[in-house]
């Protein structure tokens, strides 16, 4: 049995648990929590001073991302937003402010220490429209079609099963829902081995998809309108990038099938298979 994905996940968990502990323990020192950024390409420096000043110092100090997804996700009042790999809660708390009391911001993280830190930061911020969930981004513990916007900050690269991540994002989004994530993306010319030379999974470098791989992965999951825009270099041939995409509105029932010819299509009659429904109606999409 190949235990590499499990080993990598545990490496990631230990790294972020240590970061959360460092912030928590630093908060008891005379000078307050110290940032845990890797370098100037990652961390709280990528947020505006206004954003940083509006949040608990511990939430800011625990930021390890490669961008500011809340600045590009175009969040609106009343929306439900999910942050994948929410860490100390900086993006969840910023999202909660943007969606307002009629909206809701969810944070998903697999690390107990980060979840505890995020809950403490939420209490300090007095945010009442926030909920944190324990789990992995490959198996999101939320019902289908319940989220308006999915954000993430340099976390998808940490997954060893990105097709599962893209499929789960597509599942939990409402029809017409969208993603606005920051992630590290590699030049198409770099091989996986060359990417590995530039860093490791915990630094979000080795796990980076290329621009073409990222686009194809999202499109294979059913997303449309995929846009991948590099913002700044993080290593030779590696870029922090803004990734946007949309889950199409579910097609009206046609030929006895809802969401016809999309990854979520299903027969309207539960006693009929997709193939049977399409054949009976002469549907043009029979694959």
């Amino acid at each position: 049995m190949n235990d590499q994905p499990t080993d990598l996940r545990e490496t990631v968990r230990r790294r972020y648990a240590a970061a959360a502990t460092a912030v928590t323990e630093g908060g008891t020192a005379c000078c307050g929590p110290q940032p845990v950024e890797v370098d100037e390409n990652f961390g709280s420096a990528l947020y505006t001073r206004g954003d940083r000043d509006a949040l608990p110092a511990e939430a800011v100090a625990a930021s390890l991302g490669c961008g500011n997804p809340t600045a590009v996700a175009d969040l609106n009042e009343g929306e439900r937003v999910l942050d994948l790999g929410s860490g100390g809660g900086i993006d969840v708390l910023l999202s909660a402010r943007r969606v307002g009391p009629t909206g809701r911001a969810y944070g998903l993280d697999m690390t107990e220490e980060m979840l505890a830190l995020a809950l403490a930061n939420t209490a300090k911020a007095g945010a009442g429209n926030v909920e944190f969930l324990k789990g992995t981004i490959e198996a999101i513990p939320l019902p289908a079609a319940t989220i308006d916007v999915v954000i993430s900050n340099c976390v998808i690269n940490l997954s060893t099963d990105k097709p599962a991540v893209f499929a789960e994002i597509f599942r939990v989004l409402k029809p017409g829902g969208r993603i606005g994530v920051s992630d590290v993306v590699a030049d198409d010319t770099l091989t996986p081995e060359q990417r590995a030379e530039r860093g490791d999974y915990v630094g979000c470098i080795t796990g980076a998809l290329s621009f073409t791989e990222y686009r194809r992965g999202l499109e294979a999951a059913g997303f449309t309108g995929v846009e991948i825009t590099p913002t700044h270099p993080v290593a030779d041939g590696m870029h922090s990038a803004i990734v946007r995409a949309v889950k199409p509105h579910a097609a009206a029932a046609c030929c006895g099938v809802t969401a016809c010819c999309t990854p979520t299509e299903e027969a309207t009659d539960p006693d009929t298979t997709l193939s049977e429904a399409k054949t009976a109606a002469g549907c043009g999409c029979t694959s």
Side-chain angles (χ1 to χ4, degrees):
M1 179 179 295
N2 185 359
D3 292 328
Q4 185 183 27
T6 301
D7 293 343
L8 286 171
R9 178 176 291 174
E10 177 58 19
T11 299
V12 171
R13 189 203 65 76
R14 288 198 303 267
R15 167 68 177 89
Y16 285 88
T21 300
V23 170
T24 301
E25 293 178 349
T28 63
C30 64
C31 300
Q34 296 300 306
V36 291
E37 290 102 330
V38 178
D39 59 35
E40 69 275 8
N41 295 312
F42 299 84
S44 60
L46 300 173
Y47 294 81
T48 67
R49 179 173 295 278
D51 282 344
R52 297 195 302 268
D53 290 347
L55 297 177
E58 290 80 5
V60 176
S63 175
L64 287 162
C66 59
N68 180 357
T70 60
V72 301
D74 191 26
L75 301 178
N76 301 305
E77 188 86 14
E79 288 187 319
R80 296 162 70 90
V81 57
L82 168 65
D83 179 23
L84 301 181
S86 48
I90 184 170
D91 293 318
V92 175
L93 294 176
L94 289 173
S95 296
R97 292 165 62 88
R98 286 167 169 77
V99 301
T102 60
R104 193 157 188 84
Y106 295 89
L108 174 64
D109 206 283
M110 67 176 182
T111 308
E112 291 279 3
E113 292 84 351
M114 277 295 187
L115 288 168
L117 178 59
L119 289 171
N121 289 331
T122 300
K124 291 176 182 177
N129 58 340
V130 166
E131 182 176 345
F132 286 96
L133 308 167
K134 184 179 181 182
T136 67
I137 62 176
E138 297 86 1
I140 300 171
L142 285 172
T146 55
I147 298 297
D148 295 295
V149 188
V150 170
I151 64 173
S152 185
N153 198 348
C154 205
V155 170
I156 294 175
N157 272 289
L158 301 177
S159 173
T160 57
D161 190 355
K162 294 175 183 65
V165 176
F166 295 148
E168 278 292 270
I169 295 173
F170 192 91
R171 180 186 67 82
V172 300
L173 280 173
K174 299 176 183 177
R178 61 197 187 278
I179 67 173
V181 310
S182 295
D183 219 350
V184 172
V185 182
D187 285 342
D188 289 333
T189 56
L190 292 184
T191 66
E193 292 75 21
Q194 289 171 323
R195 299 172 212 173
E197 293 171 357
R198 287 155 170 78
D200 56 30
Y201 259 87
V202 176
C204 308
I205 301 298
T206 299
L209 296 174
S210 71
F211 284 90
T212 296
E213 290 167 347
Y214 217 122
R215 178 180 297 278
R216 288 177 177 170
L218 288 171
E219 290 175 344
F223 286 99
T224 59
V226 178
E227 299 178 359
I228 305 174
T229 307
T231 57
H232 60 272
V234 297
D236 183 23
M238 314 289 286
H239 313 269
S240 174
I242 297 166
V243 182
R244 296 184 177 94
V246 177
K247 177 177 179 176
H249 285 280
C254 68
C255 62
V257 178
T258 58
C260 192
C261 306
T262 74
T264 57
E265 64 181 359
E266 59 182 17
T268 54
D269 182 351
D271 296 323
T272 302
T273 66
L274 271 172
S275 178
E276 290 170 343
K278 291 181 177 183
T279 300
C283 182
C285 176
T286 58
S287 59

